[in-house]
Amino acid sequence: MRFVDVILPLPLNGTFTYSVPQQFEDQVKAGCRVLVSFGRNKQYVGLIAGAHDRQPEGYEVKPLLLLIDTQPILLPHQYKLWLWIADYYMSPIGEVFKAALPAGLKAEDGYKPKTETYIRLTETYRNETALHVALNLLQRAPRQLKAFSDYLTLSGWDEGEGGAVTRDELLNEGHTLQTISLLQKRNMLETYEVEVGRLNHGGEPHPENIKRLSAPQEKAYNEILFSFLKKPVTLLHGVTSSGKTEIYIHLIQREIDQHRQVLYLLPEIALTVQMMERLQRVFGDRLGIYHSRYSDAERVEIWQKQLSGHPYDVILGARSAVFLPFQRLGLVIIDEEHETSFKQQDPMPRYHARSAAIMLAHQPQEVQSLPIEKGEAGGGPARVLLGSATPSMETYYNARTGKYGYVQLTERHAGIEMPEIQVVDTADLQHRKMMSGPFSPLLLTRVREALERGEQAILFQNRRGYAPLIECKQCGWVPHCQNCDVSLTLHRQMNQLTCHYCGAVYQVPLACPACGGTDLQTRGYGTEKIEADVRDIFPEARISRMDLDTTRTRNAYERIISDFGTGRTNLLIGTQMISKGLDFDRVSVVGILNADTMLNYPDFRAYEHAYMMMAQVSGRAGRKNKRGLVILQTRQPSSPVIQCVVRNDFDALYQMLSTERREFHYPPYYRLVYVYLKHNKEALVETASQEMGFRLRQWFGGRVLGPDKPGVARVKSLSIRKLVLKLEPQLNMADVRKYLALAQQQMLQDKRYASLQVYYDVDPL
């Protein structure tokens, strides 16, 4: 009898053995999906890890219910990557399965293409005269008038264009389904469904659109190729606007010419929009896009296409694209490699896409479906190019110590100067009562001048919502989340208080529940309040806001970026989303409203991340034709990090942080593992964490710190404790993982801890 070991999409370690019914015996292969019964007759779609004829002992083996695939959907080198992620990040293989496959490949009945609801004018109102009639009819219905006017603006009808608008985009403007429904009843607007997530049909490739490299770019390109002869991973350290993307395009074309595939990873979906347009102009329908904002239907189709004989040559995507099947991978490009978005936080597996991509590139690929020409074999180990203007400490350390290759690009493209950075001491201005809310006089003057010249400005505030908290002026009461130990953020447009940890929503109180006072004041500034204030100060400005609240829909990113890129809007307000490599031609002024929120964050990486964010957002200024200006507002103008930003001196920052990191045993000189314990009873999680700390110290001694409460010690009604392991790089990580697993196993044998959650964050950010 034949048996198969099956991985299930459950938080369980290892595989489960099933017998193979006779009708499937000749068809079962590793990497194929099967339907199995597990537990109390629950059914799951699992993946075959291997087939054999060894009869398991001690229990009755269940048979497979159904063989879903006749050909593998998971290639051998992908499975090796899964095993590495499960082992290194201490995550059950079932969790890797859940994260890696699109939902449609984990369902027995496949997937159904998703649709998105769009809005358009009815036939009656698709002319200028009828639009004026509609606007007059709505004068006595202000909410409907506002919704109708916003639709005209979003669609471009107010400028005679008439583009597509999704219903969600209109809802994002603060309108309700009821208001939209009333406009439908008036026969002014109508809805229609569009299937979203179709594959890219970008037309024929046009390699002739590849621009010629400048002399510095050509030098860097050749140095990269030379570095690849000696090192599998190379860092391209190029200042902002130095033309790294053009080098990437030349490298991609080189791989295509040699019949190899390329994986191009970006940290943010917002970046994917601009990069997609750039790459499509060159590579046409050879380019595939893969990230979480695409429909599940599309992600399944891309997965299947990559297994076919005619896969995409280039995949552009966010971190999940590392799980796609590649059959002849030659190059992995990880742009903005320093970005924390490459690290998966929740749920498991808490993998870093940069590390996973390096491991993927290291694996020789076995060809599944590609046509093989005489003398050709499957793909060998690929090369990895890490690109950044502000590399992570770990990557820079690896490059400077020779583990990675290192190539520099120190000049901005076309001779453009680095932006001038003027530091504004907000503490002094506040003392002299010269600040206008969060804006200094210098910032307001320079933004006004830029707008009057027909140029654009960006304002950076790394906090979304209207205000971080509201407070009773009489007694100091502040509303907190019932499930988490955090204050609630006010979102005025939605008129609600929101917890940014669990997503709970609360009504805004009319009076203080503690003292009955009605003077409830906002404290601090989020991007929504910045936008409201800026609209009052610059009523003539065409303003857009880019944060998590305004980019929830798939089209929202594209519309905001397109509007700003074409000049339809001229003042962009946003969180760190706007700092990540976006390329706009007419931005002459960038304002960093409050650098202190980044500098004062209680984390050993705070200075590193603050420098990266400020340097990156500064790089948006002066991209073409003229030098840009950055107004950096801070209460700590003499901070060494601020001075490094002003001088664009990454080496000085690295040297300063290296001394601290080495002395206090932090990366890149030591490895970190965080151990988290969660339970709904605080006393129990405290006892358990003390016991876990005691057990770990028996093996690791003084390398164990804690337990301690993290900054937010209760999330979703679960109390949290954290232990920190600081480990020398030469320690055997397999032994470390073994001892951690053993300590957890011993803990969970105690019935008191049966419902205790224990998990690990390896190489945390």
Side-chain angles (χ1 to χ4, degrees):
M1 182 176 260
R2 294 282 285 166
F3 299 92
V4 287
D5 296 327
V6 175
I7 309 166
L8 296 176
L10 298 169
L12 300 169
N13 284 306
T15 57
F16 299 86
T17 303
Y18 290 84
S19 62
V20 181
Q22 192 170 0
Q23 68 265 35
F24 301 140
E25 276 191 358
D26 296 332
Q27 298 172 284
V28 292
K29 299 174 185 174
C32 288
R33 290 173 301 159
V34 289
L35 184 67
V36 298
S37 173
F38 186 78
R40 294 186 177 178
N41 293 321
K42 285 191 175 181
Q43 293 184 356
Y44 295 95
V45 172
L47 263 168
I48 298 175
H52 55 84
D53 54 9
R54 300 183 303 278
Q55 170 80 47
E57 297 179 3
Y59 62 92
E60 184 181 348
V61 181
K62 295 180 181 179
L64 297 180
L65 301 178
L66 180 68
L67 179 65
I68 298 173
D69 303 308
T70 56
Q71 291 298 322
I73 64 155
L74 187 76
L75 303 179
H77 66 271
Q78 286 179 282
Y79 181 50
K80 289 177 185 175
L81 179 66
W82 285 21
L83 291 174
W84 178 82
I85 289 173
D87 178 54
Y88 186 83
Y89 293 102
M90 302 191 67
S91 173
I93 188 72
E95 293 283 9
V96 182
F97 178 6
K98 284 169 66 177
L101 286 189
L105 292 178
K106 292 176 285 192
E108 178 188 356
D109 55 354
Y111 65 93
K112 295 178 182 177
K114 291 183 181 178
T115 61
E116 195 162 12
T117 304
Y118 276 71
I119 293 176
R120 63 189 171 201
L121 292 172
T122 56
E123 189 70 39
T124 309
Y125 289 96
R126 289 179 200 165
N127 62 75
E128 193 172 339
T129 304
L131 283 178
H132 285 299
V133 171
L135 292 168
N136 286 330
L137 288 172
L138 294 173
Q139 289 301 315
R140 294 186 178 180
R143 289 183 181 177
Q144 294 176 50
L145 176 62
K146 180 70 165 62
F148 192 74
S149 300
D150 282 350
Y151 163 77
L152 295 178
T153 301
L154 287 170
S155 66
W157 268 103
D158 59 345
E159 296 182 6
E161 295 175 11
V165 175
T166 68
R167 185 173 63 188
D168 283 344
E169 286 179 272
L170 199 52
L171 292 174
N172 253 355
E173 295 295 312
H175 305 296
T176 64
L177 286 170
Q178 183 183 10
T179 304
I180 296 171
S181 178
L182 289 170
L183 289 169
Q184 288 178 258
K185 287 179 181 176
R186 285 179 178 263
N187 197 36
M188 293 178 178
L189 295 180
E190 63 184 11
T191 61
Y192 61 104
E193 298 297 313
V194 174
E195 183 182 325
V196 294
R198 295 186 180 90
L199 295 183
N200 170 30
H201 301 293
E204 289 293 315
H206 290 282
E208 68 275 10
N209 288 341
I210 298 178
K211 297 175 184 175
R212 187 171 180 176
L213 296 178
S214 66
Q217 288 173 324
E218 184 78 34
K219 180 174 180 287
Y221 172 80
N222 289 326
E223 286 178 359
I224 290 167
L225 294 181
F226 183 70
S227 176
F228 280 162
L229 295 175
K230 301 182 291 182
K231 301 281 171 68
V233 182
T234 292
L235 168 63
L236 173 58
H237 185 187
V239 297
T240 55
S241 195
S242 57
K244 293 186 290 293
T245 304
E246 210 56 52
I247 295 174
Y248 300 155
I249 289 173
H250 279 254
L251 290 168
I252 292 169
Q253 186 60 50
R254 183 177 184 273
E255 294 299 313
I256 291 175
D257 291 343
Q258 297 182 19
H259 309 290
R260 293 193 291 256
Q261 295 170 294
V262 177
L263 171 61
Y264 190 146
L265 290 179
L266 287 167
E268 286 282 351
I269 296 165
L271 281 178
T272 314
V273 174
Q274 272 201 331
M275 196 57 65
M276 176 185 71
E277 294 172 355
R278 247 176 119 169
L279 296 183
Q280 262 183 354
R281 286 197 291 270
V282 176
F283 303 111
D285 58 8
R286 286 182 152 174
L287 173 71
I289 317 295
Y290 192 86
H291 57 63
S292 59
R293 284 292 173 94
Y294 273 53
S295 75
D296 190 60
E298 179 171 47
R299 281 182 283 152
V300 172
E301 287 168 20
I302 289 179
W303 191 286
Q304 301 286 17
K305 184 173 173 65
Q306 291 309 97
L307 288 169
S308 73
H310 302 283
Y312 286 118
D313 292 318
V314 187
I315 290 288
L316 174 69
R319 64 173 178 255
S320 57
V322 77
F323 291 114
L324 279 170
F326 292 91
Q327 300 181 62
R328 199 172 286 158
L329 186 64
L331 176 66
V332 179
I333 297 169
I334 305 176
D335 199 13
E336 311 294 345
E337 67 81 28
H338 61 276
E339 279 291 346
T340 56
S341 308
F342 280 126
K343 180 80 156 72
Q344 166 82 6
Q345 300 296 345
D346 280 309
M348 288 192 285
R350 294 173 177 83
Y351 71 99
H352 199 300
R354 180 183 61 215
S355 301
I358 290 171
M359 289 305 297
L360 172 69
H362 184 67
Q363 304 282 352
Q365 300 119 53
E366 298 179 32
V367 170
Q368 180 77 8
S369 309
L370 288 176
I372 303 294
E373 296 180 10
K374 189 174 181 181
E376 287 188 339
R383 293 295 183 251
V384 179
L385 182 63
L386 308 175
S388 178
T390 55
S392 65
M393 287 285 290
E394 289 87 340
T395 295
Y396 196 66
Y397 174 79
N398 286 334
R400 301 309 282 173
T401 56
K403 182 178 179 181
Y404 296 167
Y406 182 63
V407 176
Q408 274 189 292
L409 195 54
T410 56
E411 296 178 29
R412 277 188 148 192
H413 187 58
I416 299 167
E417 288 185 86
M418 294 296 289
E420 176 190 359
I421 300 178
Q422 295 186 9
V423 179
V424 174
D425 185 348
T426 53
D428 177 58
L429 291 175
Q430 282 172 341
H431 178 70
R432 293 192 280 154
K433 295 184 169 49
M434 294 179 66
M435 290 289 289
S436 177
F439 310 110
S440 65
L442 178 64
L443 176 63
L444 294 179
T445 300
R446 294 294 179 259
V447 169
R448 180 173 284 110
E449 290 171 353
L451 298 180
E452 288 172 352
R453 291 193 301 266
E455 296 165 351
Q456 293 175 306
I458 290 176
L459 298 179
F460 171 68
Q461 174 76 345
N462 201 29
R463 184 169 281 172
R464 65 186 175 101
Y466 188 83
L469 55 87
I470 60 173
E471 180 183 60
C472 174
K473 189 176 181 182
Q474 193 165 321
C475 72
W477 171 83
V478 172
H480 280 73
C481 179
Q482 295 172 8
N483 309 314
C484 312
D485 283 344
V486 290
S487 58
L488 297 170
T489 300
L490 174 64
H491 291 255
R492 179 154 283 179
Q493 192 170 36
M494 297 178 284
N495 194 33
Q496 63 189 28
L497 294 168
T498 303
C499 175
H500 287 177
Y501 280 80
C502 71
V505 173
Y506 302 82
Q507 286 188 329
V508 180
L510 299 175
C512 172
C515 72
T518 56
D519 191 359
L520 301 178
Q521 299 185 338
T522 60
R523 290 280 182 266
Y525 293 85
T527 47
E528 190 184 340
K529 190 172 194 307
I530 297 296
E531 180 187 15
D533 289 356
V534 167
R535 287 189 186 280
D536 291 338
I537 297 167
F538 302 112
E540 74 287 354
R542 302 183 301 279
I543 298 167
S544 59
R545 171 163 56 94
M546 191 172 183
D547 56 29
L548 192 61
D549 298 318
T550 61
T551 55
R552 294 190 185 278
T553 63
R554 176 178 168 178
N555 284 22
Y557 283 106
E558 298 177 28
R559 188 176 299 281
I560 292 169
I561 291 168
S562 173
D563 285 352
F564 197 66
T566 58
R568 192 181 176 104
T569 55
N570 60 2
L571 209 167
L572 178 63
I573 298 160
T575 56
Q576 57 183 315
M577 285 183 183
I578 63 173
S579 72
K580 300 179 179 180
L582 296 173
D583 188 358
F584 301 113
D585 290 351
R586 294 186 290 274
V587 176
S588 62
V589 177
V590 166
I592 299 173
L593 298 184
N594 188 353
D596 305 313
T597 56
M598 298 176 277
L599 292 171
N600 298 336
Y601 197 74
D603 185 90
F604 78 92
R605 294 187 195 271
Y607 280 8
E608 178 186 1
H609 288 165
Y611 176 90
M612 288 173 177
M613 226 176 292
M614 287 187 276
Q616 290 287 341
V617 77
S618 298
R620 304 313 111 212
R623 308 283 292 186
K624 298 274 172 72
N625 305 323
K626 63 176 288 186
R627 190 182 189 193
L629 173 67
V630 179
I631 308 296
L632 196 164
Q633 299 185 164
T634 175
R635 299 175 68 89
Q636 308 170 62
S638 59
S639 162
V641 180
I642 299 291
Q643 295 307 310
C644 288
V645 173
V646 171
R647 300 193 307 269
N648 190 40
D649 194 345
F650 182 83
D651 278 331
L653 178 86
Y654 175 76
Q655 295 301 332
M656 177 182 73
L657 296 182
S658 289
T659 303
E660 293 179 2
R661 299 276 183 94
R662 189 183 290 108
E663 184 176 349
F664 293 104
H665 297 183
Y666 281 111
Y669 303 100
Y670 281 70
R671 309 183 77 154
L672 293 183
V673 177
Y674 290 169
V675 183
Y676 288 98
L677 297 91
K678 289 185 177 182
H679 199 274
N680 57 8
K681 293 179 181 175
E682 183 166 10
L684 188 141
V685 79
E686 175 64 28
T687 303
S689 63
Q690 293 290 348
E691 191 172 327
M692 176 69 95
F694 173 76
R695 291 179 185 277
L696 292 180
R697 283 188 182 90
Q698 290 181 319
W699 291 307
F700 298 109
R703 300 180 182 90
V704 181
L705 301 179
D708 199 2
K709 290 183 178 182
V712 179
R714 189 170 63 97
V715 174
K716 298 181 181 177
S717 300
L718 294 174
S719 294
I720 309 168
R721 294 295 183 273
K722 174 177 147 187
L723 291 141
V724 175
L725 271 69
K726 294 182 176 180
L727 306 168
E728 300 92 330
Q730 62 268 27
L731 283 182
N732 186 321
M733 286 303 289
D735 287 341
V736 170
R737 290 188 283 272
K738 181 180 76 174
Y739 289 131
L740 285 169
L742 184 59
Q744 179 179 348
Q745 184 183 352
Q746 291 172 348
M747 286 278 298
L748 298 182
Q749 286 174 354
D750 189 327
K751 290 182 180 179
R752 290 178 302 161
Y753 305 140
S755 56
L756 180 73
Q757 295 181 30
V758 181
Y759 65 88
Y760 308 93
D761 192 357
V762 180
D763 300 338
L765 291 182

